[in-house]
Amino acid sequence: MAAGAGPLEEGGLPFSSASSAPPPPPPPPPVAPGGPGPAGLLPPNPAGPRNPNSTLVDDLEASFEACFASLVSQDYVNGTDQEEIRTGVDQCIQKFLDVARQTECFFLQKRLQLSVQKPEQVIKEDVSELRNELQRKEALIQKHLGKLRHWQQVLDDINIQHKKPTEMPQGPLAYLEQASANIPAPLKQT
């Protein structure tokens, strides 16, 4: 690895622009996120030639649309061969998943470049995420404490209502007398 070159700048990576065309000019130095456009989203295409202006995002969108098109296609609706339908849908879904993996890999590589070139930025993001998580958990704790206070008050109110003088009548009817004392008298209608 050359001095100053990031680990993702070497030629054998999945997002280098390897093709049968003449060798491309040397890559520009890596750009921080938010830099110029999505030109770096060009993946290799081992299946053959592709539109040079197509990006991973375009491929992801097209394969996603193809998944839905295959599900609502009139050929599939009127088709009688269920195995053929299933194979076609599976192929569309597999292509979508492959492009999604390539897109994820691209962004993971960019994240790795950022962590190598600007480790303090990654630390700042981690600290920010931790602060947000702490705030979320603190709000959850406060919510639960509020509920706990509410239910404690309900229990206290119930306990106050059921407190009676220390002299409890003894005998077989004592429980009924105590229970009937807690029943409100019926309202008289006039």
Side-chain angles (χ1 to χ4, degrees):
M1 186 181 306
L8 300 177
E9 295 174 12
E10 296 180 357
L13 294 174
F15 292 101
S16 65
S17 54
S19 68
S20 60
V31 179
L41 292 176
L42 292 173
N45 191 1
R50 62 181 269 157
N51 180 357
N53 295 328
S54 178
T55 64
L56 274 174
V57 174
D58 293 336
D59 289 348
L60 186 65
E61 182 180 4
S63 62
F64 183 72
E65 289 172 355
C67 285
F68 278 107
S70 68
L71 293 173
V72 297
S73 171
Q74 199 62 30
D75 294 338
Y76 290 130
V77 172
N78 295 336
T80 55
D81 185 10
Q82 293 295 321
E83 191 59 37
E84 181 180 330
I85 294 170
R86 182 174 290 125
T87 303
V89 171
D90 284 346
Q91 287 174 349
C92 288
I93 291 173
Q94 189 59 46
K95 181 179 182 206
F96 173 73
L97 291 174
D98 290 343
V99 176
R101 284 186 196 105
Q102 289 175 0
T103 305
E104 180 183 24
C105 185
F106 172 80
F107 285 108
L108 288 173
Q109 287 177 344
K110 290 300 178 184
R111 180 74 176 170
L112 180 62
Q113 277 183 337
L114 179 65
S115 69
V116 168
Q117 295 169 354
K118 296 187 176 186
E120 69 280 357
Q121 180 66 28
V122 174
I123 293 171
K124 286 179 186 178
E125 289 174 6
D126 289 344
V127 168
S128 176
E129 287 175 14
L130 289 172
R131 282 189 181 135
N132 290 339
E133 185 177 349
L134 282 173
Q135 288 174 348
R136 182 184 61 80
K137 288 183 178 181
E138 183 63 34
L140 187 62
I141 289 170
Q142 293 303 320
K143 176 183 168 187
H144 286 295
L145 284 175
K147 287 181 179 181
L148 181 63
R149 286 187 200 107
H150 168 75
W151 287 111
Q152 283 176 336
Q153 184 63 42
V154 168
L155 288 174
D156 289 343
D157 292 345
I158 291 172
N159 286 336
I160 290 172
Q161 289 176 357
H162 289 305
K163 282 188 179 179
K164 294 293 174 192
T166 55
E167 290 183 20
M168 290 287 182
Q170 299 294 327
L173 298 177
Y175 178 75
L176 288 175
E177 289 173 0
Q178 182 183 4
S180 65
N182 292 331
I183 298 174
L187 297 174
K188 294 181 180 179
Q189 295 179 352
T190 41

